Amino acid sequence: CIDVVQDQIDGLVVPVKSTKELSLAMKKYLDDPNLIKVHSRSAKKKGFRRFDINKINTKFLKVIDEKRD
């Protein structure tokens, strides 16, 4: 998940199996609803950049062309 979520930029990363840290992160969102908006916008922008269908198709076609040669 660390590759997907950047802590404090587009989400909050907590240690695996740490219910205490998870509850603190959830409380942080409850205490600051604007933080949810900030992280959501950042995650959405990253998603569109990383998973743009045109970029994915171009890479996919390149791989297919390389395999043909």
Side-chain angles (χ1 to χ4, degrees):
C1 196
I2 291 173
D3 293 338
V4 177
V5 178
Q6 291 178 283
D7 194 34
Q8 305 295 327
I9 295 172
D10 52 19
L12 299 172
V13 176
V14 298
V16 175
K17 297 185 180 182
S18 177
T19 55
K20 182 177 181 175
E21 291 294 324
L22 179 59
S23 66
L24 290 172
M26 294 169 72
K27 184 171 178 354
K28 194 170 192 174
Y29 282 128
L30 291 172
D31 291 342
D32 185 4
N34 189 57
L35 187 59
I36 296 170
K37 292 177 186 176
V38 170
H39 286 175
S40 295
R41 283 188 205 117
S42 181
K44 184 177 179 180
K45 286 179 187 175
K46 183 197 295 184
F48 280 118
R49 279 194 316 270
R50 289 183 70 184
F51 303 108
D52 176 90
I53 191 68
N54 294 316
K55 289 180 183 178
I56 292 171
N57 286 342
T58 300
K59 288 179 182 179
F60 182 67
L61 291 173
K62 183 178 177 182
V63 169
I64 290 173
D65 286 342
E66 289 172 357
K67 295 295 180 185
R68 286 186 194 166
D69 295 335

